[in-house]
Amino acid sequence: MKKNNCLKISNDLFKLKSLRRSKESIQKIQETLPSILGYDFKISNHDIKWFSTDDKVKTLGQIETPQWAAELISTLCIKSGSNRILDPCFGDGIFLKAAYNRVRQISSEKIPNIFGVELDPIKFVNGLYLFLKNAENKISLEQNFFCGDIFDFKDTKFHAMVLNPPFMRQEELGLAGEEFLSKESIQRKISSLYPKKIIPKRSNLYIYFIVYLTHFLEENGFLGAIIPKGWLDSKFGFEFQQFLLSNYNIEFIIDFAEDTFPNVIVEDCIII
């Protein structure tokens, strides 16, 4: 996709951005996105009704990332202007913006090679629109953005992955359907990548996210995430620690003196 098409795409996304969350809006987004982007954006399909009510932001564990955290993680993970970069749950586009700015900081001549996945069609439209606006439409999309389930995502390797994974308690997994964000379906997909890796069933969704995403990490690549720090001192976290230490180098675990997210009762940390 050529750079000079981005302005039109941005304008078309703005029209969708004004839609209120409803069954009709979700359906319209799903029907029109392929023609707007110029390629088939779908990598998975789920019940339109499920996304159509306002409580889905809470249900999906969507919490806006502080800009400073996205910038810090991007700085620690993105080492070259030619890096392939993925945000697998880009929401409002905070990490997309930080990743873009980091690449431009490293090399003002490079066109950032950024990929994004977002499950929620409403967030997909809003986040991609804000990202293109921040980038002043000076970016090539080249089929880099997909609206669907990260656990259905198939692509090549990435040099850097930056993310704020959704916070969904293990009791909530599977409430949306037998095959959609259920522990059993996610376990099957992770087992196809890591046959011997069994994630404890008490694990929060962010654990599944990070284990799954490591499969896409290039040799000497970096994954950086801001996540709840319960895994540091819990039973389910012990196996997660073993998995990380057996396969990867932990560069940083950054703790905070106070809560990172306002109005959220969960203490967080950054892991690189």
Side-chain angles (χ1 to χ4, degrees), residues 57-172:
V57 170
K58 181 178 179 181
T59 304
L60 287 167
Q62 299 171 340
I63 303 172
E64 184 175 339
T65 309
Q67 187 65 46
W68 65 263
E71 291 173 358
L72 174 59
I73 292 171
S74 296
T75 298
L76 294 174
C77 290
I78 301 169
K79 305 297 184 180
S80 167
S82 58
N83 278 176
R84 283 168 53 88
I85 304 158
L86 172 67
D87 180 350
C89 44
F90 65 75
D92 293 317
I94 303 298
F95 269 106
L96 297 179
K97 176 182 176 181
Y100 177 88
N101 291 341
R102 170 61 176 163
V103 171
R104 301 295 285 177
Q105 179 187 49
I106 295 172
S107 175
S108 60
E109 297 179 358
K110 291 285 186 180
I111 296 176
N113 195 10
I114 297 174
F115 293 71
V117 177
E118 173 54 47
L119 179 65
D120 181 357
I122 295 290
K123 288 286 187 179
F124 180 90
V125 169
N126 291 349
L128 185 54
Y129 169 75
L130 291 173
F131 170 60
L132 291 176
K133 184 178 178 182
N134 172 72
E136 297 180 339
N137 301 308
K138 297 175 181 178
I139 190 167
S140 178
L141 296 182
E142 298 292 346
Q143 303 194 36
N144 286 19
F145 292 87
F146 302 91
C147 185
D149 189 345
I150 187 59
F151 295 102
D152 289 337
F153 183 63
K154 296 178 178 64
D155 207 288
T156 54
K157 301 288 187 177
F158 295 92
H159 302 99
M161 287 184 275
V162 292
L163 65 148
N164 172 13
F167 179 82
M168 186 181 290
R169 297 183 186 280
Q170 57 94 11
E171 297 88 353
E172 299 171 317

Side-chain angles (χ1 to χ4, degrees), residues 194-260:
Y194 299 106
K196 296 182 179 180
K197 178 60 188 171
I198 302 298
I199 300 176
K201 290 193 174 182
R202 291 189 60 80
S203 298
N204 192 287
L205 181 58
Y206 71 85
I207 300 288
Y208 293 95
F209 248 75
I210 292 179
V211 172
Y212 184 76
L213 287 171
T214 56
H215 176 70
F216 299 110
L217 198 59
E218 282 274 13
E219 190 76 20
N220 298 317
F222 287 81
L223 184 152
I226 182 167
I227 56 176
K229 61 181 182 182
W231 63 278
L232 289 168
D233 57 3
S234 63
K235 187 174 180 181
F236 76 81
F238 177 70
E239 293 193 41
F240 180 53
Q241 292 173 36
Q242 284 187 313
F243 170 76
L244 293 178
L245 293 173
S246 299
N247 296 281
Y248 302 95
N249 295 319
I250 306 299
E251 296 286 309
F252 299 97
I253 295 176
I254 304 172
D255 201 351
F256 308 118
E258 56 187 36
D259 292 344
T260 313

